[in-house]
Amino acid sequence: MSSTTQSPNVNSKYWMVAVAVFFLGWVFIYAGRSLLSPVMAEIGATYGITLASVGGVVSLFFLAYTGLQVPSGIIGDKIGRKRVLVIGFMIYALFVGLVYFANTYALFVIIWMIAGAAQGSYYGPQYALSSEAIPPKHLAVGSAIIGAGMSFGIALGYEVSSSSFKAGNDWRMAFVYMAIPIFITALLILFFIKEKVNNGNAVQATTEPKKSVTMADFLSLFKRRNLLMAYIAIFCSIYGFFVIITWLPTYLETERGMDKAVASRVASIVPWLSIIGTIFFSWVSDRLGKRKAVALFMLPLSLLSIFGIVYSGNLDNSTTTSTILGLATNPQNILLLCVLVLYGFIGKISLNPVLLALTAENVPKSLLSTAFGLYNFLGMCGSILAPWMTGFIATKTGNLNASFYVAAAVTVIGIIALLFVDESKNLNKREA
């Protein structure tokens, strides 16, 4: 085994490089998957399928994505996390580009599921590598900056998809555009990410032998109450989040009569505001040394926001001369914008680094990749259920309103789960 020790000044900056590269990873993971949201109706028209079937395409994508969470975490712990990331991202780039050639519904589903599976290789290995690289006192904030890439990615995906379609392109052309930066990101991971970092003190070669993860190790994660509660909370948060990011542009277009570009612009409020929220609440979480209290402040406000999206439609929608983001400034639109601002500030993306820090503090270091893979696997089960369930309810009821109420009810379960977290039993105590 060989090792390399750099000067403290150089190594102390590596965690910032890792944060920057992993930030870009999340930008293009979310940008790729968000390409579908503005063109859900066009996808249905292209393949002659119902809204439930369109939602089913997204659910199948996340089924493949979620199915790879635990295996990729285990494989990353065994053969090398960086290796898993690079291979996964290259496959992702290839199959995003191949969407352009999906002339049938069946082919589109197959290609999109493989792209989802390739994305599934990212979460566990990435957060294991970043958790090793980031100093403990900056763990939540560092994870928040990485997670902010999700916000940029959603807005970027909305913009690329809607702009490409409005320019007269086939909706599939946007996927070709997106494949290029995805491949470039794979190269950045290959050249700039190191396999093992001891909080800025040393970098060890990627040839270091990996300890095999046994079934007993895996099952031991389920015996930790704080971990289980974090897993339940992230499932509930992700369910509501994917109802919003998957269907909100279509909801605003079909239920509120907005232009496609305006609907995408309004929906982008959520990811843009979450950039501020994720860094702010992670800083508060690190500052207070408390994850539970911060999360319990955020989830009830998420509940209020999701409920408010639908409730705002019951208010007066009389026209006015002034506009915001292309919307008339009537009570209906003002309340809609307010609840979207609130959800962006305290929603899933902002909550995620807080729960990630809680997870990292309750698992042995040797099982970090596996634990994060399991965290995202169980959480992302919500992403499998939400798109299809939303489309199914819309098909049965004739509108999308009831789906948002279901998302609000699921959020209540997450709030209850967090009440059972006991941070005095954290395995890994935070260092000052």
Side-chain angles (χ1 to χ4, degrees):
M1 179 184 71
S2 61
S3 63
T4 303
T5 302
Q6 301 174 344
S7 66
N9 289 336
V10 174
N11 277 334
S12 64
K13 296 179 181 179
Y14 169 72
W15 73 272
M16 300 179 189
V17 175
V19 165
V21 173
F22 291 141
F23 165 85
L24 289 176
W26 281 117
V27 167
F28 293 110
I29 279 185
Y30 269 78
R33 64 175 61 163
S34 297
L35 292 172
L36 268 67
S37 296
V39 291
M40 299 287 267
E42 286 71 27
I43 292 172
T46 297
Y47 299 118
I49 56 178
T50 65
L51 285 179
S53 296
V54 176
V57 173
V58 182
S59 290
L60 288 172
F61 171 91
F62 285 112
L63 176 64
Y65 173 83
T66 303
L68 262 288
Q69 295 302 302
V70 176
S72 66
I74 294 174
I75 293 171
D77 283 337
K78 186 173 182 180
I79 71 170
R81 296 153 181 173
K82 174 180 172 179
R83 185 177 302 170
V84 171
L85 291 180
V86 172
I87 294 172
F89 236 79
M90 288 187 172
I91 294 173
Y92 170 41
L94 173 64
F95 279 87
V96 166
L98 287 177
V99 168
Y100 181 77
F101 300 99
N103 294 323
T104 67
Y105 175 66
L107 183 58
F108 175 53
V109 169
I110 292 170
I111 291 173
W112 200 229
M113 286 186 71
I114 295 174
Q119 279 197 5
S121 67
Y122 190 71
Y123 196 100
Q126 180 264 288
Y127 275 113
L129 286 171
S130 62
S131 293
E132 288 179 340
I134 301 170
K137 64 181 179 180
H138 300 306
L139 182 58
V141 171
S143 296
I145 295 172
I146 292 171
M150 304 177 193
S151 306
F152 281 90
I154 295 168
L156 178 63
Y158 286 170
E159 182 63 28
V160 170
S161 184
S162 59
S163 297
S164 176
F165 185 79
K166 287 199 72 174
N169 294 319
D170 185 300
W171 61 266
R172 288 166 287 205
M173 191 64 200
F175 291 79
V176 177
Y177 299 147
M178 194 60 66
I180 298 171
I182 292 171
F183 179 74
I184 293 173
T185 302
L187 296 180
L188 292 177
I189 296 171
L190 176 64
F191 291 116
F192 290 100
I193 296 301
K194 297 177 174 62
E195 180 67 14
K196 186 172 180 58
V197 179
N198 186 18
N199 293 330
N201 294 324
V203 178
Q204 299 178 3
T206 59
T207 54
E208 179 181 349
K210 301 291 178 181
K211 177 182 179 295
S212 296
V213 178
T214 67
M215 181 57 69
D217 292 331
F218 179 75
L219 293 177
S220 69
L221 297 177
F222 292 94
K223 298 177 181 178
R224 301 182 183 279
R225 186 176 72 182
N226 287 355
L227 277 180
L228 289 178
M229 296 305 103
Y231 292 162
I232 293 172
I234 197 60
F235 169 88
C236 297
S237 179
I238 283 177
Y239 182 95
F241 177 70
F242 276 93
V243 169
I244 291 175
I245 69 162
T246 303
W247 286 101
L248 185 58
T250 299
Y251 172 78
L252 296 177
E253 186 178 357
T254 59
E255 303 293 335
R256 301 294 181 87
M258 295 183 191
D259 174 78
K260 186 181 296 292
V262 173
S264 294
R265 195 180 307 133
V266 171
S268 294
I269 290 174
V270 171
W272 285 126
L273 265 294
S274 69
I275 296 170
I276 301 172
T278 191
I279 295 174
F280 174 75
F281 284 108
S282 298
W283 175 81
V284 171
S285 175
D286 279 342
R287 187 81 171 179
L288 296 178
K290 301 292 183 182
R291 315 305 184 189
K292 176 180 176 178
V294 175
L296 279 176
F297 174 79
M298 299 171 74
L299 263 184
L301 292 178
S302 295
L303 169 65
L304 180 63
S305 302
I306 295 170
F307 179 82
I309 290 173
V310 180
Y311 179 76
S312 64
N314 299 326
L315 302 180
D316 175 35
N317 67 347
S318 57
T319 59
T320 63
T321 56
S322 59
T323 61
I324 301 176
L325 297 177
L327 296 179
T329 54
N330 55 48
Q332 183 181 93
N333 290 336
I334 292 296
L335 180 57
L336 173 65
L337 293 174
C338 287
V339 295
L340 290 180
V341 166
L342 179 60
Y343 186 81
F345 195 59
I346 48 78
K348 178 263 175 185
I349 294 180
S350 299
L351 177 65
N352 192 53
V354 178
L355 294 180
L356 279 170
L358 179 63
T359 299
E361 292 161 357
N362 285 277
V363 66
K365 299 295 185 182
S366 62
L367 295 176
L368 272 174
S369 185
T370 302
F372 284 134
L374 181 59
Y375 168 92
N376 205 38
F377 168 79
L378 295 174
M380 292 304 289
C381 285
S383 70
I384 298 172
L385 185 60
W388 173 82
M389 180 64 75
T390 303
F392 175 79
I393 293 172
T395 300
K396 292 297 183 180
T397 64
N399 62 70
L400 287 162
N401 292 332
S403 300
F404 285 86
Y405 289 132
V406 171
V410 171
T411 304
V412 173
I413 299 173
I415 295 171
I416 295 172
L418 284 174
L419 294 174
F420 290 92
V421 169
D422 182 358
E423 290 185 287
S424 68
K425 298 184 181 298
N426 284 358
L427 178 65
N428 305 312
K429 302 300 182 183
R430 286 176 288 276
E431 298 177 19

